[in-house]
Amino acid sequence: MTSFQKFHEEWHEHLRELVQQMTKAPKSCTTNQDEQHTELLIQKVTSHINEYYRVKSLAAKNDILYIFSAPWSNSLERSLYWIAGWRPTTAFHIIYSECGIHLETHITNFLNGFRNDDLADLSSNQLTRFSELQCETIQQENTITEELSDWQMEKKMERLVEILERADEVRVTTIHKLVHLLTPQQALQFLIAATYLLFGIRTWGINHDNQRTKG
């Protein structure tokens, strides 16, 4: 196991600990202490994400093809990758999905005069900025995809490192911008959902690979 692969596994284990802390957080911030606790958890998770991409960048400069081959990932994870990682616009689909899941409860509470402050309770200003940010992210994805297509004609490893760094930068900034756009409770809900999706795909992929090996 390489040093980055070991880091990758340890990083996921720490993320599991963080998501357990997030799920135990209050569903609504009724006190300043609750809000501070929620904001601290969000900061911990975003810092954890920043650390992953910092170490990944160093590993990519050492061996870019190793990062693209991603031997630490299962076949399902690799099939979903966009430039050696998750597609940034996936974050928007997660929020859309969470909005739909909580919509029925939100309507009932709204009729009763309550607000949930969850992802189904986005304000008009949030929705406008959300749509703008999604369009910006799609454009960035398309530009970087074109750069990767052009690289296939050049095949210079230094250029491939630059393309990966740009893709990772979009991944990280998308998360930070969304967290900034959302309320603390909404951001926490988003990060929990994103983490569950990450773990779900990982578990499903591992089980699939194990069954294929046995078969």
Side-chain angles (χ1 to χ4, degrees):
M1 182 181 293
T2 65
S3 58
F4 182 77
Q5 189 168 355
K6 181 180 179 182
F7 166 79
H8 181 85
E9 296 299 327
E10 292 175 348
W11 185 87
H12 271 81
E13 287 304 312
H14 188 199
L15 185 60
R16 288 186 186 278
E17 296 174 4
L18 289 173
V19 77
Q20 288 177 0
Q21 294 177 35
M22 288 191 291
T23 54
K24 293 177 182 178
K27 299 301 180 183
S28 60
C29 295
T30 56
T31 66
N32 289 336
Q33 186 177 2
D34 288 343
E35 186 170 349
Q36 290 173 1
H37 178 65
T38 299
E39 291 176 347
L40 179 60
L41 281 175
I42 293 170
Q43 184 180 359
K44 283 183 178 180
V45 176
T46 54
S47 295
H48 191 54
I49 293 169
N50 291 343
E51 177 65 5
Y52 181 85
Y53 287 102
R54 184 190 71 81
V55 176
K56 181 184 177 184
S57 176
L58 295 174
K61 291 174 182 176
N62 183 56
D63 190 346
I64 183 63
L65 295 182
Y66 171 74
I67 296 298
F68 267 84
S69 65
W72 52 84
S73 302
N74 57 63
S75 57
L76 176 59
E77 288 173 316
R78 286 192 290 270
S79 72
L80 298 173
Y81 280 170
W82 169 81
I83 310 185
W86 56 276
R87 186 176 286 274
T89 46
T90 302
F92 298 92
H93 296 300
I94 291 171
I95 293 179
Y96 282 134
S97 177
E98 287 296 304
C99 285
I101 291 172
H102 294 275
L103 184 59
E104 184 176 349
T105 301
H106 173 265
I107 291 175
T108 302
N109 288 341
F110 178 77
L111 293 175
N112 291 326
F114 299 108
R115 291 180 63 88
N116 294 344
D117 195 27
D118 59 20
L119 288 173
D121 203 19
L122 295 173
S123 68
S124 58
N125 288 337
Q126 284 179 308
L127 288 171
T128 299
R129 183 64 190 116
F130 182 83
S131 178
E132 293 172 348
L133 183 56
Q134 184 178 19
C135 291
E136 292 171 11
T137 306
I138 291 172
Q139 291 176 351
Q140 290 173 321
E141 278 186 6
N142 292 339
T143 299
I144 297 172
T145 299
E146 291 176 3
E147 291 177 359
L148 182 62
S149 297
D150 293 339
W151 171 85
Q152 293 175 359
M153 302 297 292
E154 306 171 4
K155 295 186 177 180
K156 294 180 179 179
M157 294 300 107
E158 296 82 1
R159 178 57 178 152
L160 186 57
V161 171
E162 293 175 358
I163 293 172
L164 175 62
E165 287 182 342
R166 284 202 61 193
D168 283 346
E169 182 181 1
V170 175
R171 283 185 259 266
V172 174
T173 56
T174 297
I175 292 176
H176 282 278
K177 287 179 179 179
L178 284 173
V179 167
H180 180 72
L181 170 67
L182 301 170
T183 67
Q185 287 302 116
Q186 291 169 343
L188 197 67
Q189 184 182 340
F190 160 63
L191 292 172
I192 291 173
T195 304
Y196 279 165
L197 177 62
L198 175 69
F199 289 150
I201 291 173
R202 186 165 181 78
T203 301
W204 189 14
I206 290 173
N207 292 337
H208 178 269
D209 286 354
N210 289 340
Q211 291 175 1
R212 187 175 58 180
T213 301
K214 292 177 181 179

